[in-house]
Amino acid sequence: MKIAFVGGGIMAEALIKRLVKDGTVTCDEVKVVDPSPARRELLREQYRVGVEEEHSACLPGADVVILAIKPQEMETAACQMDDIQKEQLLLSIMAGVKLERLVTR
């Protein structure tokens, strides 16, 4: 199963750590898109997952896309996620964002 994380913050890191440690996925099956070079480097070094700056390099081919961004960043991220396919499972761990708001994007 290939998983793409949109956002590589603390919550995404916690999920990545557990998924890889438990063997649910291999590090080769995880990609993270994050605008911060320091954050990408940390995730690549610590967990050996793929990291990207651009959504277009991360989302195609993913079975699951996890939105792990701050709620105020949702609009910007949504505009860059035209590659989402209807067969991809989209999960959100954004605090306080209602389903109606996600659906309208």
Side-chain angles (χ1 to χ4, degrees):
M1 170 181 10
K2 295 182 181 179
I3 301 175
F5 284 85
V6 177
I10 301 299
M11 292 298 293
E13 182 179 359
L15 289 170
I16 292 165
K17 181 178 182 179
R18 180 54 58 192
L19 289 168
V20 172
K21 183 178 179 181
D22 286 352
T24 303
V25 294
T26 65
C27 53
D28 294 334
E29 295 174 306
V30 177
K31 285 190 179 179
V32 182
V33 60
D34 195 277
S36 167
R39 203 61 200 156
R40 290 193 308 269
E41 185 65 18
L42 179 138
L43 294 169
R44 186 184 62 75
E45 286 182 6
Q46 288 268 334
Y47 306 103
R48 302 190 190 285
V49 297
V51 294
E52 301 289 344
E53 185 176 1
E54 300 294 327
H55 292 82
S56 60
C58 195
L59 301 181
D63 300 303
V64 178
V65 177
I66 299 176
L67 297 176
I69 53 178
K70 293 178 176 72
Q72 62 269 24
E73 296 172 356
M74 191 189 95
E75 298 301 322
T76 302
C79 292
Q80 299 172 4
M81 294 175 46
D82 292 334
D83 294 337
I84 294 285
Q85 302 296 310
K86 63 182 176 181
E87 60 272 358
Q88 290 175 306
L89 177 62
L90 182 62
L91 301 175
S92 169
I93 62 170
M94 291 185 292
V97 177
K98 294 184 178 186
L99 183 58
E100 293 83 23
R101 186 169 168 208
L102 288 172
V103 171
T104 59
R105 284 307 305 156

